[in-house]
Every structure is written in C-alpha cells, then in structure tokens.
Amino acid sequence: MPIDISIVMPCLNEVKTLGTCMGWAGECLEKCREQLGLQGEIIISDNGSTDGSQELGERLGGRVVNCPDKGYGNAIRYGIQKSLGTYIVMGDSDGSYDFRQAFDMIKHLHEDGFGLVMGTRLKGQIQTGAMPWKNRYIGNPLLTGVLNLLFKSGLSDAHCGLRAFTKKAYDAMDLNSSGMEFASEIIVKAALLDIPRTEIPVTLYKDGRDRPPHLNPFRDGWRHLRFLFVYSPGFLFIYPGIIMAVIGFLSSAAMVITPYSVLGFNAGPQRLLYMAVVFIIGLQFVQIGLYSKVLIQRNIPVLRQTSISHKILKYYKMESWLTVGALFVCLGAVLFAIAFGYWGTKHFGGLDNAMTMRWVVPSVTCLIVGFQIIGTSLFLFCVETYVEKTSFTDSQ
C-alpha cells in the first residue's frame, strides 16, 4: 500500500531502548491509520551499531537502512532519503521521546497545512533527570534566543528532537548538515523560506541508555552557534561594522572641525587617530560581511534576500564603486598634499604637531578607505562573473 508517513529514527547502539521507541511509533501509526486513513513505516537509520540494534529493528518490523557516514545529521538525511512517506517524523531512539505524541504533529501537517511542526519541551514536561541543568537553563535558552533573534522563527524550543515536516518542505530546505547542527538548520531554513510552522507541547523522558550520551554540550553547542552566525553575516559583520564606522566617522569629523574639544573631551591628535582606526575597522567588517553574503547567497539560494547587504548588492555596479573609491583616493591625496605643505612650513619637523596631524590622519584614512572600496568592487565583480557560470562547490 502507498506509504504516507515515515518515522525516521537515527540509531547508534540503542538496543536497550529501540524496542520501546518502535512500540510507541507503531501505536502512533495505528492511530493515524484509524483516524486519518494514513499508512506508515518505521525507518531505523543505523549509524554503525555494534550491539544488535539492526537485528532488533528488523525483527520488530522496521526497515533498517545502514548510513555509511557518521553523524546525527547524516543519519537523519540518509533515512529520509530512503523513506517513502509524504510526512516525515524524526525522533531519537534512546527512549527520551514518546512517538505517540507525534500523532498531533502529523494531524497538523495533514489537516492544517503546516510544513513543519516542532515539539516543545519547555511548554510540555521535562521529567526529573531528563535534561542537565546547564542544557535546560543555559544552553537551550541561549541557542533558541540567538536563533529567534537572527531568524525570527517564533519557536520556544529550537532543539527538541521530536519534530515532523512534509517531504515537500524538506526538499525545499535542502538540508546538508552532518552533525547535531542539523536540528538548527531545519529551523533556520524553515524561517528563511517562511514555511508554515507551529509547535506542540511534548514530554522529555529520561533516556534509557546505560552509556554516556553522544551529545557533547560544549562542542555541539558551539557547532550550533557557529552554524547560526554563518547563516547571518549581517549580524556577525555588517551591523557591527556599520555601527563602528558611523561612530568612527562622526567622532573623527567632529575632532577635525573642532580643534580643541568635543563634548568636553580633549580632541587631541591621538584620539583622532583612534577614531579613524575605528572607522576603518568598521568599514572592513562591512566589506567582509558583503563578501560572505555574496558567497552564501550564490551557494545557498534558500536565503531570503531582504537584508541591507542585499540591497547594496542589488544596485551594485563595479564602475560606480570604482568611481567612489577613486574619489576617496583623490581626496586623500589632496589632503596629504595640504598636510605635506603645512609640514613644510614647520621645516619638516616632528609630526606631533596637532594641526599637522589633523590633515595627516584624514588623508591616510581616505587613502585606505579608497583602496578598500576599489578592492571590494573588483572582488565582487569577480565573484558575480565567476559564480554565474559555475557553482562554488564545483570549483573547489
């Protein structure tokens, strides 16, 4: 019979709990068959078990597929690749999630048109000993908060292991993470694609394994955080760079215009130099963000192009930016000539003279910024021209 639902369980030496999880999954599928008229299958995506998990899974009626590549994300993706269902349920096989609670998830997908339904442990129940305190009160709230800040997913528990989605949504998300960050990638891309999503309360049970968990809180937490920032170069580079550039420019301009003090502070040449450096570093951050954005948008088309950087790139013309860069270089050269002339009136003595430095610092700043803009425009032109013909992945 046609398969409508595929429950995918990644497995690595879970023989003690796999039977319980498959029993729950079987009850869920039976309920779906009776109330929704949907047929289902259970897929055990094994990641190299040596404790007999594969044999147990087959004996209990599951379809065991052997994922050749290590990693949580690899196991999930391989299981989904081998699945036949229109609706996909994923959950751990360590006994920490009751798959009977996935019935409401499937019902939301089937009847309400959602593309993704997440479980939320924070609005459900967390049994005693089921989650370490550092995960519950530090790690999970921090990562969920960062994810919602950067991508506005609107979810309360971004790392719940029990979730369901349609095969159509899965194909659109084009997931490729190999490790634990796979959980974050689903949320990020669902938010970027604006896939209809909701969440339901679930219960987190204390897992039934007799060995340490595969999850490493610090290593996997950092991988999640790194993944989030990779997909958001605006927050990582562009926005901080704009703030630094504005502060540096306004402060430098005020110190040049007002020779002696700004807002009550002594506007000496040293402070002018520091503010000029802040301006240059800010621009450098913006440029790095643009580099990252171009490469990401060319190789990960799922990203929505609504950011400031996209608007800049949308109206990007190499000739225009080269002209802007050349104007900065010319301005820097003129200011340098003025500074050199003023220095001559002082018989080419030390450059610690405050008035001389008020010409030297802006001239050097304009020269650096001008050449940075020229270099950026040439780089973006090369990327735009090259990537249109071949993908970045194929070129490596």
Side-chain angles (χ1 to χ4, degrees):
M1 297 181 65
I3 298 297
D4 304 295
I5 306 165
S6 295
I7 298 180
V8 179
M9 302 181 193
C11 179
L12 177 58
N13 295 326
E14 307 287 4
V15 72
K16 290 186 176 297
T17 55
L18 184 59
T20 300
C21 293
M22 292 186 66
W24 288 337
E27 292 184 44
C28 173
L29 293 178
E30 181 65 25
K31 190 174 182 180
C32 289
R33 185 162 47 249
E34 294 175 353
Q35 299 190 21
L36 303 177
L38 302 176
Q39 302 293 329
E41 64 175 350
I42 300 174
I43 295 180
I44 309 302
S45 185
D46 191 75
N47 215 198
S49 296
T50 57
D51 64 348
S53 295
Q54 302 99 321
E55 293 78 7
L56 177 62
E58 291 178 348
R59 189 166 66 249
L60 295 178
R63 184 153 63 92
V64 177
V65 295
N66 295 301
C67 177
D69 301 313
K70 295 293 185 181
Y72 174 79
N74 285 331
I76 292 288
R77 289 192 294 115
Y78 191 79
I80 295 174
Q81 178 185 340
K82 300 297 183 179
S83 68
L84 303 174
T86 303
Y87 308 119
I88 309 295
V89 177
M90 56 171 278
D92 300 334
S93 54
D94 60 2
S96 54
Y97 294 103
D98 185 345
F99 283 88
R100 291 174 294 188
Q101 295 183 314
F103 172 78
D104 290 332
M105 295 181 172
I106 297 168
K107 190 174 181 180
H108 277 307
L109 297 177
H110 182 62
E111 297 182 349
D112 301 327
F114 288 103
L116 170 67
V117 182
M118 287 287 301
T120 171
R121 301 162 295 183
L122 302 182
K123 294 183 179 179
Q125 296 181 6
I126 300 177
Q127 289 194 343
T128 303
M131 183 185 294
W133 68 268
K134 58 181 178 294
N135 295 24
R136 182 172 184 176
Y137 299 107
I138 300 177
N140 193 43
L142 174 63
L143 292 173
T144 300
V146 171
L147 193 151
N148 283 327
L149 173 65
L150 299 182
F151 303 100
K152 299 178 175 61
S153 71
L155 300 172
S156 63
D157 185 5
H159 296 91
C160 180
L162 184 62
R163 55 187 74 185
F165 40 84
T166 64
K167 192 65 174 295
K168 180 180 178 181
Y170 174 81
D171 291 338
M173 288 186 284
D174 189 26
L175 305 172
N176 50 48
S177 294
S178 61
M180 291 293 182
E181 66 275 16
F182 178 85
S184 292
E185 186 180 12
I186 291 178
I187 309 299
V188 169
K189 290 189 173 179
L192 292 171
L193 284 170
D194 202 20
I195 292 174
R197 55 196 178 274
T198 188
E199 59 183 11
I200 66 170
V202 298
T203 300
L204 179 68
Y205 296 88
K206 190 178 186 310
D207 63 70
R209 63 171 68 97
D210 57 357
R211 53 166 177 74
H214 300 303
L215 177 69
N216 184 308
F218 295 103
R219 180 198 63 198
D220 292 311
W222 165 244
R223 291 180 65 172
H224 279 283
L225 195 61
R226 181 182 63 184
F227 174 86
L228 297 179
F229 282 122
V230 163
Y231 272 74
S232 184
F235 278 88
L236 186 61
F237 295 114
I238 296 175
Y239 302 146
I242 290 175
I243 293 173
M244 292 178 66
V246 169
I247 293 175
F249 175 78
L250 294 178
S251 301
S252 301
M255 291 178 184
V256 170
I257 296 171
T258 306
Y260 300 107
S261 66
V262 176
L263 299 177
F265 294 96
N266 181 19
Q270 294 84 0
R271 290 178 175 82
L272 173 60
L273 179 61
Y274 291 146
M275 289 299 101
V277 170
V278 170
F279 174 58
I280 293 171
I281 293 175
L283 284 182
Q284 189 69 61
F285 265 59
V286 172
Q287 291 168 337
I288 293 173
L290 289 176
Y291 299 158
S292 304
K293 199 74 171 180
V294 168
L295 293 176
I296 289 174
Q297 287 179 349
R298 286 297 177 271
N299 297 285
I300 309 175
V302 69
L303 290 179
R304 280 188 310 198
Q305 300 179 342
T306 57
S307 62
I308 293 176
S309 58
H310 171 67
K311 294 177 182 177
I312 294 174
L313 294 172
K314 182 179 179 180
Y315 300 104
Y316 161 76
K317 283 188 177 181
M318 183 186 69
E319 292 77 11
S320 301
W321 285 99
L322 286 176
T323 301
V324 173
L327 289 176
F328 269 97
V329 171
C330 292
L331 178 60
V334 170
L335 293 175
F336 182 81
I338 295 174
F340 191 83
Y342 189 84
W343 186 30
T345 63
K346 301 299 181 180
H347 307 290
F348 301 104
L351 283 177
D352 56 349
N353 182 277
M355 290 304 297
T356 305
M357 292 299 293
R358 279 193 173 81
W359 291 108
V360 171
V361 172
S363 69
V364 173
T365 301
C366 287
L367 288 171
I368 294 174
V369 170
F371 284 113
Q372 280 186 336
I373 293 175
I374 291 173
T376 299
S377 63
L378 292 173
F379 173 84
L380 293 178
F381 175 75
C382 292
V383 172
E384 291 280 336
T385 303
Y386 179 68
V387 178
E388 285 179 359
K389 299 179 181 178
T390 179
S391 71
F392 180 74
T393 302
D394 293 338
S395 70
Q396 288 184 320

